[in-house]
Amino acid sequence: MEDKSEKHILIIEDNEVLGDMIQKRLIADGYTVNLARNGKVGYEQIDQIAPDIIILDLVVPSMNGYEILQALNEKSGPGSYPPVIVIADSGESVEVSKLLTLGAKDYLIKSDITPDALTKK
C-alpha cells in the first residue's frame, strides 16, 4: 500500500477558509501539505519543496494562477513540472481551454468543491 505521507502537495490559495479546509482534509488523508497564501510565495515553494501535485487558485495576490503556469512553462517547459489542479471561479470553456493549454492537468470549480471531490482529483 502506498504511503501517502511521502506525497507532497502544495496548495496556493489565498482564501483562508477554503485553503484551510483543503489543507486539513489532505493532511487527514495522510498527505504532507504546504499552503501558500499568495502566488509569488507559492511559485518559490515549487522549487524549494518539489511537490508531487500543485493545487492552484487562479486568483491569488502577487502572481496569479495564469502567471504561475506561464512561468513554469518558460522555466522548465510544458509538462516538466508537477501536475497542477486549478481551482477556478467558473468553468467557462475559454478559461478551461486556456488552463489546459498552459499545462493544467485538471480543474475544480470553487462553488463545487467538496472534500471528496478534491481527494478524487
Side-chain angles (χ1 to χ4, degrees), residues 9-13 19 22-23 26 33-37 55:
I9 300 174
L10 172 62
I11 304 165
I12 304 173
E13 170 61 68
I22 294 169
Q23 182 180 36
L26 293 173
V33 181
N34 279 61
L35 174 60
R37 298 281 186 197
I55 298 174

Side-chain angles (χ1 to χ4, degrees), residues 5 17 26 28 31 42-43 45 50 53-57 60 64-65 70 72 82 91 93 99-100 108 112 117 120:
S5 66
V17 173
L26 293 173
Y31 296 100
Y43 180 73
Q45 285 187 10
I53 297 172
I54 301 166
I55 298 174
L56 174 64
D57 183 10
V60 288
N64 70 41
Q70 186 64 44
L72 288 169
S93 59
L99 293 170
L100 297 176
L108 289 165
D112 296 339
K120 284 179 185 177

Side-chain angles (χ1 to χ4, degrees), residues 10-11 34-36 40-51:
L10 172 62
I11 304 165
N34 279 61
L35 174 60
K40 186 175 182 199
V41 169
Y43 180 73
E44 291 168 355
Q45 285 187 10
I46 293 169
D47 284 335
Q48 294 169 359
I49 65 173

Side-chain angles (χ1 to χ4, degrees), residues 8 11-12 17 27 94 98 105:
H8 203 129
I11 304 165
I12 304 173
V17 173
I27 289 171
V94 172
K98 183 175 180 180
K105 297 297 179 204

